Amino acid sequence: MKATAKAPANIAFIKYWGRKNEILRLPANDSISMNLSEVFTITTVEFSEGYEKDEVEHIGKEMDKKEEKRIIDHLDRIRNLAKIKTFAKVLTKNNFPTGTGIASSASGFAALTVAGVEASGLKLNERQLSILARQGSGSACRSVPDGFVEWKSGSSSNSSYAHTLFPPGWLNIVDILAIVEKKTKKISSSEGHTLTGSSPFYKARISGMKDKLKKIKQALLNKDFKTFGEISEAEAVNMHTVMMTSCPAIYYWTPETMRIILSVAEWREEGLPIYFTIDAGPNVHLITLFEDIDKTIRRLKKIEGIKGIIINKPAEGTKTINTHLF
Ligand code: PMV
């Protein structure tokens, strides 16, 4: 009863920030994302009578009690579905810094879900896996299906899941992730979601959502990169406006973040088709065309304060793999 899964992080172009149902973890709006090829989590889960309690370990990271409990709660969900009582050992590793807004909870809970379900002997389809992953961390449901993904907010737990809109090869774009901070953020996204209602701009954000979702889906369908990029960039700023104006205020951006934002506007004026998006952290995702990778990297390297660059292509979703971590 051992299985291992590899799950990508994902970057949302239309973001999930705030929930309409806290208990069921139903997001306030639908969201749209792309899986990232070079930032991922690998997790091995083994259920065995040999364990006297759940053992959870994250390679290269100290885990606090709260994080451990969140993982054990998820194992309980899997055990309930599989009707087993056996304890498990979980070993997990990320190939990127955790807790810096590179969606570590998304890849983490997607990998835990797929490995845990497989190890438990349960047979679930992609939709059921996405629903289960969502209960661990909302955005994790989007790391389950392949490529460009839509998460339908739904009106019940069973209707809130993600599905593929387009396969990974649909658009010739890359996500160049500029890392400016590797430290764990002070306010987690889990906490941030509960603060949205305190921002005076939150209502305006939600009321514009339907139209924005329709437009970005049309731009994706038409492979209209300019419209797609413009909507994505404005959406990221919209979400961060809500963050900065909630109570307490959340400032994820650093001076380096702002430096990149301003540079992107300049580069665009120089003719480079490039847009940014930012999750719950200071690191910046630069979205550009495959053929403009070199030009972007050359420019990016001139900016002060960049600690790392990761070039991501659109990727598959979460898959089981045969190499176990233990
Ligand atoms: O799934 P969570 O609770 O980590 O929330 C993710 C929130 C954002 O990354 C900021 C937006 C998103 O849709 O990925």
Side-chain angles (χ1 to χ4, degrees):
M1 294 184 97
K2 187 195 269 193
T4 301
K6 179 179 170 190
N10 68 73
I11 179 67
F13 302 114
I14 301 297
K15 316 277 190 186
Y16 150 52
W17 196 246
R19 305 184 184 113
K20 63 183 169 199
N21 185 320
E22 287 293 335
I23 296 155
L24 297 177
R25 266 182 197 267
L26 301 185
N29 55 272
D30 301 354
S31 54
I32 290 181
S33 64
M34 166 183 114
N35 290 327
L36 303 175
S37 62
E38 307 306 317
V39 272
F40 52 83
T41 300
I42 294 178
T43 298
T44 299
V45 179
E46 180 182 44
F47 289 100
S48 163
E49 298 295 343
Y51 300 120
E52 288 175 3
K53 60 178 181 56
D54 289 320
E55 293 175 22
V56 180
E57 201 189 320
H58 195 146
I59 298 172
K61 188 182 171 266
E62 282 287 312
M63 212 179 307
D64 63 33
K65 284 277 163 239
K66 215 167 128 193
E67 287 168 298
E68 196 184 273
K69 183 178 179 303
R70 212 168 149 194
I71 291 170
I72 294 175
D73 285 351
H74 206 59
L75 289 172
D76 285 340
R77 288 186 191 106
I78 296 170
R79 279 189 282 253
N80 281 341
L81 285 173
K83 300 189 171 55
I84 56 170
K85 292 210 158 34
T86 336
F87 288 117
K89 176 172 171 170
V90 177
L91 192 58
T92 189
K93 80 171 186 203
N94 289 342
N95 75 333
F96 60 94
T98 307
T100 52
I102 315 181
S104 57
S105 60
S107 57
F109 278 95
L112 179 66
T113 301
V114 171
V117 163
E118 179 80 13
S120 75
L122 264 177
K123 293 276 169 268
L124 299 187
N125 61 28
E126 183 187 274
R127 180 187 297 191
Q128 291 166 321
L129 288 168
S130 179
I131 290 168
L132 187 54
R134 190 203 80 240
Q135 295 168 60
S137 175
S139 57
C141 75
R142 293 192 313 240
S143 286
V144 174
D146 290 343
F148 294 86
V149 167
E150 175 182 39
W151 173 10
K152 283 287 191 191
S153 62
S155 54
S156 61
S157 188
N158 283 340
S159 58
S160 187
Y161 59 88
H163 68 102
T164 298
L165 281 178
F166 301 103
W170 180 255
L171 259 192
N172 202 12
I173 61 171
V174 284
D175 170 309
I176 301 180
L177 172 54
I179 300 176
V180 296
E181 187 55 78
K182 294 184 180 177
K183 273 193 268 161
T184 300
K185 59 197 177 202
K186 285 200 191 88
I187 300 184
S188 69
S189 43
S190 278
E191 194 183 339
H193 288 294
T194 65
L195 302 175
T196 47
S198 61
S199 162
F201 299 110
Y202 189 59
K203 274 208 179 100
R205 168 171 172 72
I206 296 302
S207 71
M209 261 305 164
K210 260 212 167 102
D211 186 48
K212 194 169 4 185
L213 280 155
K214 196 171 150 208
K215 285 191 175 133
I216 202 166
K217 281 208 283 194
Q218 192 60 45
L220 265 172
L221 181 68
N222 298 345
K223 303 190 181 193
D224 172 357
F225 180 60
K226 185 169 182 283
T227 306
F228 170 75
E230 284 171 358
I231 297 173
S232 302
E233 197 172 287
E235 158 62 3
V237 176
N238 179 310
M239 177 183 73
H240 279 269
T241 304
V242 169
M243 290 165 165
M244 292 186 222
T245 51
S246 57
C247 186
I250 318 173
Y251 301 104
Y252 285 126
W253 295 358
T254 63
E256 289 75 24
T257 312
M258 201 59 219
R259 230 174 268 152
I260 302 173
I261 290 176
L262 295 176
S263 300
V264 166
E266 272 176 30
W267 300 343
R268 236 180 357 241
E269 274 170 27
E270 291 162 16
L272 190 67
I274 189 163
Y275 301 88
F276 69 81
T277 183
I278 306 170
D279 273 348
N283 299 315
V284 185
H285 293 255
L286 298 166
I287 312 297
T288 190
L289 300 174
F290 195 77
E291 61 258 35
D292 289 319
I293 295 177
D294 289 347
K295 274 189 207 156
T296 305
I297 301 289
R298 237 180 289 133
R299 286 169 155 92
L300 200 51
K301 281 189 170 158
K302 288 187 191 144
I303 299 180
E304 205 186 309
I306 310 269
K307 294 187 175 147
I309 296 173
I310 303 174
I311 305 168
N312 292 291
K313 291 202 285 282
E316 285 190 327
T318 307
K319 308 281 178 235
T320 53
I321 55 172
N322 293 326
T323 326
H324 302 306
L325 293 179
F326 63 91

